[in-house]
Amino acid sequence: MDNKKGRRYEAVKWMVVFAIGVCTGLVGLLVDFFVRLFTQLKFGVVQTSVEECSEKGCLALSLLELLGFNLTFVFLGSLLVLIEPVAAGSGIPEIKCYLNGVKVPGIVRLRTLLCKVFGVLFSVAGGLFVGKEGPMIHSGAVVGAGLPQFQSISLRKIQFNFPYFRSDRDKRDFVSAGAAAGVAAAFGAPIGGTLFSLEEGSSFWNQGLTWKVLFCSMSATFTLNFFRSGIQFGSWGAFQLPGLLNFGEFKCSDSDKKCHLWTAVDLGLFVIMGVIGGLLGATFNCLNKRLAKYRMRNVHPKPKLVRVLESLLVSLVTTAVVFVASMVLGECRQMSSSSQIGNDSLQLQAASQDVNSSIKTFFCPNETYNDMATLLFNPQESAILQLFHQDGTFSPVTLALFFTLYFLLACWTYGISVPSGLFVPSLLCGAAFGRLVANVLKSYIGLGHIYSGTFALIGAAAFLGGVVRMTISLTVILIESTNEITYGLPIMVTLMVAKWTGDFFNKGIYDIHVGLRGVPLLEWETEVEMDKLRASDIMEPNLTYVYPHTRIQSLVSILRTTVHHAFPVVTENRGNEKEFMKGNQLISNNIKFKKSSILTRAGEQRRRSQSMKSYPSSELRHVCDEHAACEEPAAKEDLLQQMLERRYTPYPNLYPDQSPSEDWTMEERFRPLTFHGLILRSQLVTLLVRGVCYSESQSSASQPRLSYSEMAEDYPRYPDIHDLDLTLLNPRMIVDVTPYMNPSPFTVSPNTHVSQVFNLFRTMGLRHLPVVNAMGEIVGVITRHNLTDEFLQARLRQHYQTI
């Protein structure tokens, strides 16, 4: 495209990125509104029933009411996952795989988005220990993938003639922007969303994408904030709560002069909390991995109804534990006096009122509250605010019991067949751990200067870091959520220590689930020991290839009997090519193409000399004439023929449409092939569907030509070879694939170190890497499978055995 089209393309890209941010913000608004509505309805009815039944002695009826709400909501969420199984879980492992270059079926479809959004409504409102923030990331990614296409397979009537962004690279960039917008909408952290997409999501990144992703994240935060300020607070455009999860303002009371958010002494305690958080996260991941393996063996092979029953069982146990623990295990604690906040800012007053409004006084006298019920009988966001900002104390026994129950139930819940996030349960679990540490330090060790909210935040960071093993993005997300830059250093130190501690035992929870699915995910780099291997050690030498001019019957046979995504375009090196050029038109076309496409020094110099003759300078003309004269003897000889005659093994005179025979020798089967380019399966099928071919009696110039827009018209769902009507095709017709192949793909030498191969494959976002020797012959192909850790380890063991 020219510069004018390029500028238009860039402008459209910015508009699409903005639209993705706005739509993701609206999705977050929908989720937040209905979760809040359902939760208020449920807790309103149940709390009234509990207060009445505490006097009349009918608490069993209150439990049945709570069970009715929770089981109904969870049942609806499970049914939606039956419709689209990919909607289960948080979706972050699947999006990570997609951005790494693995195509997960159905992961970015409209139906997946609808099931995800409405499913997470019901699973969160159903009282399960799950969050809505993880599914928001998946939802944003689906919006990013689908919106720029302006078409949907679920709604086939939605079709717009939108010629832009018809490639996997553009789609991947938009999915990165959508995932970042999902983080920004969930936490009100646009910079954290951008870094999350860079650190955890995108495997391939460029500088121009950073600014677009940040703009998309800002758009999502702005949209969600604008509408929430109007709907929730009646003040449109006031921008009071930036994201779905708000941590409130961390600020010491003016009356407490000794209070500090944190001191240098506390930093050593934070390091110890990071170690403990890493150990707890590793334990959580280990237990969840065993549960996931058990589900894969015993639940998933059974009828789908069993998955729904498992979800209902988890809901039943969770509801019973929450109700019984709130009624039996809680202690009555003294409320904080409201006089302490008399001189504070309006925002702090509002936050304190919000914290005090969520206090539960089940079975407790006036001026006291039930600490266990306050944590369990509230939405998770309110419980986190309680642990961060409640001035009144929580009993150490209550905090220890709450942490244990929440830890076990959250571990059991993550992985069942409902849309579920892990961020908020991990934050709540860690906040209870941090608050417990603060209580112990205050009550038993006598450290009166510490601020309990800080320790709750650091505990949340330590546990979440130990589970998901994110560092820089999680640091920025937590800083943006607290609006307190002074927390940067302690959060960063805690997360690093938690990650290092956890990595000593196992991987992060998302990487564990990626591994359980058997996805060939490529890490950022290979192990140092792998450099003992070369490209020739890991490549696949058994090639399925096509010729520049190939019969339709050969193409159909190749496409129907293989599942390769791309095929090398090659020509055979023969010792008697002149005889073939006289006999067969098809082989003649292939040999002519090879001779015209192979570059030699002498031939290139002749071409340049001829172009120089057009200059008016007489000196140049004389130089060219002399050069042409001295090159004349070499021009009479067929240089390509000389190169071919150097070969000592005669190769069989086979037609390109003949398949390999079992009687062939190894030399016949692996005869030298000159490499010319790569052509994709989708391109070959498109050429066959559109009838792009010519007959043997015609010239290849008579073949119809398709434009780029025509070739990409069916993106991203190209026709399948098995749907092709063979009766419409003449098997003897010939297809010239040379105008449509990629004539300059990345290639490597057989002697290239594996680390170089891996870096090229990973940074360039490749799917196929041909291995070409010094003679320009293809000797193998490297794909993603050849670079997975399991494959490389197996080849390294073979390498040691052969030494």
Side-chain angles (χ1 to χ4, degrees), residues 345-403:
S345 65
L346 237 110
Q347 189 174 359
L348 188 58
Q349 282 191 38
S352 299
Q353 288 168 6
D354 186 40
V355 168
N356 289 327
S357 66
S358 60
I359 285 174
K360 304 298 179 189
T361 58
F362 292 170
F363 305 111
C364 287
N366 292 336
E367 299 302 322
T368 60
Y369 66 95
N370 185 327
D371 55 358
M372 183 68 83
T374 299
L375 294 176
L376 288 174
F377 246 81
N378 271 316
Q380 295 173 96
E381 289 82 356
S382 299
I384 290 174
L385 280 175
Q386 288 286 344
L387 291 167
F388 284 170
H389 301 293
Q390 179 56 261
D391 291 333
T393 59
F394 289 87
S395 162
V397 176
T398 299
L399 289 171
L401 286 171
F402 175 79
F403 173 81

Side-chain angles (χ1 to χ4, degrees), residues 454-711:
T454 299
F455 276 78
L457 176 65
I458 295 301
F463 187 77
L464 183 56
V467 171
V468 300
R469 311 286 163 78
M470 293 191 300
T471 49
I472 180 170
S473 56
L474 193 54
T475 302
V476 176
I477 287 171
L478 293 174
I479 291 173
E480 288 185 280
S481 299
T482 57
N483 291 320
E484 188 61 62
I485 192 64
T486 57
Y487 280 142
L489 180 63
I491 289 175
M492 186 178 294
V493 169
T494 305
L495 285 174
M496 281 197 303
V497 172
K499 175 179 167 56
W500 291 339
T501 305
D503 284 343
F504 188 76
F505 297 97
N506 52 29
K507 293 184 178 181
I509 189 73
Y510 301 135
D511 291 324
I512 285 174
H513 280 267
V514 167
L516 289 174
R517 287 173 172 81
V519 177
L521 193 76
L522 297 186
E523 301 296 337
W524 285 106
E525 56 188 11
T526 58
E527 297 176 11
V528 178
E529 195 179 20
M530 293 302 169
D531 258 355
K532 294 179 179 178
L533 299 174
R534 305 295 176 111
S536 56
D537 296 322
I538 65 170
M539 70 182 185
E540 177 54 56
N542 291 301
L543 300 175
T544 303
Y545 48 84
V546 298
Y547 297 94
H549 300 261
T550 311
R551 293 198 193 278
I552 284 180
Q553 69 181 44
S554 296
L555 288 180
V556 171
S557 174
I558 288 170
L559 292 170
R560 287 207 165 189
T561 56
T562 64
V563 291
H564 304 312
H565 182 67
F567 304 92
V569 180
V570 301
T571 49
E572 295 179 16
N573 292 344
R574 303 174 181 274
N576 48 356
E577 290 189 340
K578 288 184 177 179
E579 298 175 16
F580 272 97
M581 291 186 70
K582 296 174 185 174
N584 187 285
Q585 178 68 29
L586 176 59
I587 298 179
S588 175
N589 283 345
N590 286 329
I591 295 173
K592 284 178 182 175
F593 172 78
K594 180 172 72 170
K595 291 193 171 187
S596 64
S597 64
I598 288 183
L599 183 70
T600 61
R601 289 175 62 201
E604 179 65 11
Q605 191 59 44
R606 280 200 303 274
R607 189 184 65 79
R608 294 187 184 189
S609 299
Q610 304 238 339
S611 64
M612 289 170 73
K613 288 182 182 178
S614 60
Y615 282 86
S617 169
S618 57
E619 295 179 11
L620 279 179
R621 189 175 294 116
H622 289 314
V623 170
C624 292
D625 290 343
E626 291 172 9
H627 195 83
C630 68
E631 286 286 341
E632 195 64 33
K636 292 179 180 178
E637 298 179 9
D638 192 336
L639 296 171
L640 179 63
Q641 191 64 31
Q642 289 179 7
M643 189 172 69
L644 293 172
E645 284 172 357
R646 288 204 246 352
R647 308 210 167 275
Y648 55 89
T649 310
Y651 292 98
N653 304 331
L654 293 167
Y655 286 84
D657 55 351
Q658 288 184 344
S659 58
S661 167
E662 293 295 329
D663 301 329
W664 284 8
T665 64
M666 189 66 74
E667 285 74 19
E668 292 170 341
R669 189 177 294 273
F670 292 95
R671 57 189 178 277
L673 302 169
T674 302
F675 178 66
H676 299 289
L678 279 176
I679 189 159
L680 301 180
R681 167 181 287 271
S682 57
Q683 293 172 321
L684 290 175
V685 176
T686 301
L687 294 177
L688 293 175
V689 167
R690 295 179 178 269
V692 177
C693 55
Y694 68 96
S695 67
E696 200 162 358
S697 59
Q698 297 174 315
S699 164
S700 60
S702 63
Q703 176 176 286
R705 286 294 181 97
L706 297 182
S707 65
Y708 174 78
S709 58
E710 290 173 321
M711 288 291 288

Side-chain angles (χ1 to χ4, degrees), residues 699-732:
S699 164
S700 60
S702 63
Q703 176 176 286
R705 286 294 181 97
L706 297 182
S707 65
Y708 174 78
S709 58
E710 290 173 321
M711 288 291 288
E713 187 176 345
D714 295 319
Y715 180 85
R717 296 176 186 89
Y718 291 104
D720 188 70
I721 186 63
H722 296 284
D723 300 331
L724 195 62
D725 187 0
L726 297 180
T727 59
L728 302 177
L729 298 174
N730 180 354
R732 303 299 295 172

